[in-house]
Amino acid sequence: MEKNLWTIIQEMNRKAVITQADWEHAKEQLSLEAFLSLHEYFNNKELSREKGDQWL
């Protein structure tokens, strides 16, 4: 059964560390387009955090 992208994002946000197994599980649960959106979301989240740290 395919899960909702937002549900997967919430599950992954609760984790302290996202492992390769987590990514593989998400890929199985989502359509390709949704998985790519998930990947982009977390890439942008990391970029935002790095830019924010530069101002501290």
Side-chain angles (χ1 to χ4, degrees):
M1 185 174 98
E2 187 175 300
K3 282 192 175 179
N4 180 305
L5 175 59
W6 182 241
T7 304
I8 298 286
I9 288 173
Q10 289 175 322
E11 288 174 5
M12 292 177 84
N13 273 331
R14 285 189 217 113
K15 296 179 179 278
V17 175
I18 298 172
T19 65
Q20 184 63 36
D22 294 326
W23 284 111
E24 289 170 8
H25 178 71
K27 193 172 189 176
E28 293 170 4
Q29 300 295 317
L30 298 169
S31 67
L32 178 60
E33 186 176 332
F35 179 74
L36 294 174
S37 295
L38 176 72
H39 200 268
E40 186 176 326
Y41 170 83
F42 278 98
N43 281 341
N44 289 338
K45 186 176 172 183
E46 288 303 313
L47 285 175
S48 296
R49 185 178 300 144
E50 287 173 17
K51 288 185 177 185
D53 289 347
Q54 290 174 4
W55 295 105
L56 294 176

